[in-house]
Amino acid sequence: MATPCTLNRYLLLMAQEHLEFRLPEIKSLLSLFGGQFASTQETYGKSPFWILSIPSEDIARNLMKRTVCAKSIFELWGHGQSPEELYSSLKNYPVEKMVPFLHSNSTYKIKIHTFNKTLTQEEKIKRIDALEFLPFEGKVNLKKPQHVFSVLEDYGLDPNCIPENPHNIYFGRWIADGQRELIESYSVKKRHFIGNTSMDAGLSFIMANHGKVKENDIVFDPFVGTAVYL
């Protein structure tokens, strides 16, 4: 009998646009690269923070090579609704999974990301210093680190009612960024010809991802218009 594949937990940082297309895009791309959604991962609403279970880091990287709905993906090491819960979660994370990225010959830096709130530099440093219990043995390198770690704090969706403390706090190892820059590279404003029905570049990429289009696939567009999608 085959041994079941162990799923690792990853944190997706999503872009806050085209919200209704985010889940179908991620589902399609995971399916394309050999992953799938678990039944407990069906609802994310408008939150930019999604926790996924993915079979391998390779699948996570392949996902980010295509998605335009996600900004970044992290290997999730800890999660809590308060700093204390986060620290407890981190202390329970297997040390053997941390060691390859924290050894003495490595370089690293820690970044602070907040959603719906801006922190002062002093507040950011305080959060970084609070992680001194982690077994970092490498050297800090702010310009070209081998490994980047992030603390991500979620202060909800209402900019008119920002809580004093975050709803959720995450800590993870950065894996890869998505392809958001393609939206600007293929912007309608940069085209030599713009038709009345020229499609937004972001939606074009999302449609291709929903259709699981791969290299060397043949694509038929019966209503080609100005060929934006193609």
Side-chain angles (χ1 to χ4, degrees), residues 60-148:
R61 290 184 181 277
N62 285 332
L63 169 67
M64 301 311 287
K65 288 178 181 178
R66 287 286 299 268
T67 179
V68 293
C69 288
K71 292 182 175 181
S72 303
I73 194 167
F74 306 84
E75 181 182 56
L76 187 61
W77 287 15
H79 167 223
Q81 295 182 333
S82 67
E84 292 72 26
E85 285 186 11
L86 173 66
Y87 305 152
S88 176
S89 178
L90 283 170
K91 290 174 182 177
N92 289 325
Y93 190 76
V95 175
E96 61 271 18
K97 290 187 176 182
M98 294 183 179
V99 169
F101 311 102
L102 307 182
H103 58 78
S104 58
N105 293 325
S106 65
T107 59
Y108 72 95
K109 76 173 179 179
I110 300 176
K111 299 174 66 176
I112 306 294
H113 175 89
T114 57
F115 180 76
N116 198 30
K117 188 172 185 176
T118 301
L119 300 179
T120 65
Q121 188 64 22
E122 183 180 353
E123 288 173 322
K124 292 179 180 180
I125 293 174
K126 183 177 180 181
R127 283 158 170 75
I128 293 173
D129 288 343
L131 298 170
E132 62 181 2
F133 63 89
L134 291 174
F136 287 105
E137 295 184 1
K139 295 181 179 180
V140 174
N141 186 325
L142 300 181
K143 292 185 177 180
K144 292 184 178 180
Q146 292 174 309
H147 310 295
V148 179

Side-chain angles (χ1 to χ4, degrees), residues 3 6 22 37 51 56-57 67 72 77 81 83 87 105 119 139 148 151 167 174 185 196-197 201:
T3 303
T6 300
R22 298 188 307 182
F37 264 58
I51 296 177
S56 71
E57 186 172 313
T67 179
S72 303
W77 287 15
Q81 295 182 333
Y87 305 152
N105 293 325
L119 300 179
K139 295 181 179 180
V148 179
V151 176
H167 297 314
W174 175 80
S185 299
N196 293 333
T197 59

Side-chain angles (χ1 to χ4, degrees), residues 17-18 67-68 178-191 199-205:
E17 64 179 32
H18 301 310
T67 179
V68 293
Q179 304 303 311
R180 298 284 298 166
E181 74 280 357
L182 291 177
I183 297 175
E184 177 61 27
S185 299
Y186 288 86
S187 170
V188 172
K189 298 177 182 178
K190 295 183 178 181
R191 295 172 190 163
M199 182 178 288
D200 171 77
L203 287 174
S204 297
F205 285 114

